């Protein structure tokens, strides 16, 4: 059985960027998250509409000529509050990408990195902070993103598409933690719990645009909402610190917490 990969998150909500910080969160709560951010041993980034400007599964669907059909399946799943795994399965069943198609797509498509992410990841690496890509999408499409950002392959947590011996679509690996969401035992919460247990990180931060990112804290010590590509109002309301520009996060790393105590 051949294993390969591809990204998946909810369909994008129309972009309407206004401010860099959420207006509804008390300032002291935001400052608490900022302090955690500056102390992080590890930072986990979502990929679709966060590290990258687009949604990988939508781009692949368009390449395969089934973009509108997949969008319809996504809307139906969201309206019915479908389980993440079921919604993913439904979209892939429409697409049924074979191994050759997926490889061709990866070879001709350059990741559309969000402005400022290269500099932010570079700054985190310079500080000795471990950076992870944690996605409900698929590893094969995320590997080129990690390469551009200098992130080790072992620090990608994502899903795997399965192919039969002829290279035809054969489902996806449901044993991956990221293949489902909705509880602390699966999805991004489970990945962060695993990282803490495996590497003994004291402080882990999750950064992302979606509900599956927000649900990662806890066990993440903080969640930072990102709206630089898509603003999801429900996520914005839940985030104690919400930004629309990665430069805000990068510049905040220069803050001297010791001066606050004087």
């Amino acid at each position: 059985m051949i294993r390969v990969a591809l990204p998946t998150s909810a369909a994008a909500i129309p972009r309407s960027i206004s401010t860099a910080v959420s207006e509804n969160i008390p300032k002291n709560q935001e400052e608490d998250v900022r302090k955690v951010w500056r102390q992080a041993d590890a930072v986990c980034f979502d990929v679709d509409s966060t590290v990258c400007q687009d949604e990988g599964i939508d781009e692949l669907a368009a390449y395969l000529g089934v973009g509108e059909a997949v969008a319809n399946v996504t809307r139906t799943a969201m309206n019915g509050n479908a389980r993440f795994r079921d919604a993913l399965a439904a979209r892939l069943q429409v697409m049924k990408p074979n191994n050759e198609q997926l490889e061709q797509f990866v070879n001709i498509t350059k990741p559309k990195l969000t402005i400022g992410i290269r500099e932010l990841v570079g700054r985190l690496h310079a500080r000795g902070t471990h950076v992870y890509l944690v996605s409900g999408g698929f590893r094969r499409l995320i590997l080129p993103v990690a390469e551009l950002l200098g992130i080790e392959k072992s620090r990608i947590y994502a899903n795997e598409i399965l192919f039969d011996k002829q290279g035809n679509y054969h489902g996806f690996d449901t044993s991956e933690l990221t293949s489902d969401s909705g509880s602390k035992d699966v999805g991004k919460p489970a990945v962060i719990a695993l990282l803490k247990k495996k590497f003994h990180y004291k402080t882990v931060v999750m950064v992302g645009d979606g509900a599956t990112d927000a649900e990662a804290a806890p066990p993440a010590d903080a969640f930072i909402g990102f709206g630089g590509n898509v603003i999801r109002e429900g996520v914005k309301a839940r985030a104690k610190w919400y930004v629309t520009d990665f430069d805000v996060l990068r510049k905040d790393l220069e803050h001297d917490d010791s001066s606050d105590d004087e």
Side-chain angles (χ1 to χ4, degrees):
M1 187 86 57
I2 303 171
R3 293 173 154 216
V4 192
L6 122 213
T8 15
S9 37
I13 292 173
R15 182 174 176 173
S16 59
I17 298 173
S18 54
T19 60
V21 180
S22 175
E23 313 90 347
N24 302 321
I25 301 298
K27 207 66 179 176
N28 60 329
Q29 291 188 36
E30 179 188 304
E31 186 53 40
D32 288 344
V33 175
R34 287 175 178 260
K35 288 181 178 179
V36 173
W37 165 246
R38 295 189 288 264
Q39 298 166 0
D41 302 310
V43 176
C44 297
F45 287 96
D46 174 50
V47 178
D48 293 326
S49 295
T50 300
V51 167
C52 291
Q53 299 174 35
D54 52 11
E55 297 279 329
I57 195 168
D58 293 342
E59 296 300 311
L60 179 60
Y63 173 77
L64 295 172
V66 292
E68 187 56 35
V70 169
N72 288 336
V73 171
T74 299
R75 281 192 289 269
T76 301
M78 291 177 70
N79 291 337
N81 296 315
R83 180 178 173 182
F84 178 87
R85 182 175 291 170
D86 294 339
L88 173 56
R91 284 179 281 180
L92 287 175
Q93 191 60 35
V94 172
M95 296 165 66
K96 291 186 177 178
N98 61 44
N99 191 14
E100 183 179 357
Q101 289 172 325
L102 187 55
E103 289 302 317
Q104 288 176 345
F105 176 75
V106 170
N107 289 334
I108 68 171
T109 305
K110 183 177 180 180
K112 299 175 183 176
L113 295 181
T114 299
I115 294 172
I117 190 61
R118 286 178 185 266
E119 294 79 3
L120 176 56
V121 170
R123 185 71 189 99
L124 288 167
H125 282 161
R127 288 166 60 93
T129 305
H130 291 176
V131 178
Y132 292 84
L133 299 178
V134 183
S135 173
F138 285 80
R139 188 170 286 106
R140 184 65 189 93
L141 293 187
I142 297 173
L143 281 168
V145 177
E147 184 175 351
L148 286 175
L149 295 175
I151 296 172
E152 297 175 15
K153 294 179 181 180
S154 62
R155 291 180 181 165
I156 299 173
Y157 284 81
N159 292 319
E160 294 284 352
I161 250 194
L162 304 177
F163 298 94
D164 62 22
K165 292 180 180 179
Q166 287 73 44
N168 297 314
Y169 173 69
H170 195 67
F172 61 98
D173 188 350
T174 57
S175 70
E176 292 283 356
L177 293 175
T178 51
S179 69
D180 208 353
S181 68
S183 79
K184 298 300 181 182
D185 298 322
V186 293
K188 293 169 185 179
V191 170
I192 291 174
L194 175 65
L195 293 177
K196 283 190 160 188
K197 181 178 180 181
K198 187 174 181 179
F199 299 109
H200 309 291
Y201 294 128
K202 292 181 179 179
T203 308
V204 180
V205 173
M206 182 76 215
V207 181
D209 71 289
T212 59
D213 306 309
E215 74 179 14
D221 298 277
F223 164 65
I224 299 173
F226 182 72
N229 296 305
V230 177
I231 291 180
R232 307 186 196 280
E233 294 298 338
V235 175
K236 185 176 181 180
R238 293 175 64 180
K240 295 179 181 178
W241 188 18
Y242 193 86
V243 304
T244 58
D245 189 337
F246 280 132
D247 280 349
V248 174
L249 298 184
R250 181 178 56 80
K251 291 174 181 177
D252 195 77
L253 293 173
E254 311 304 325
H255 182 87
D256 183 5
D257 286 331
S258 63
S259 64
D260 296 340
D261 301 325
E262 295 177 359

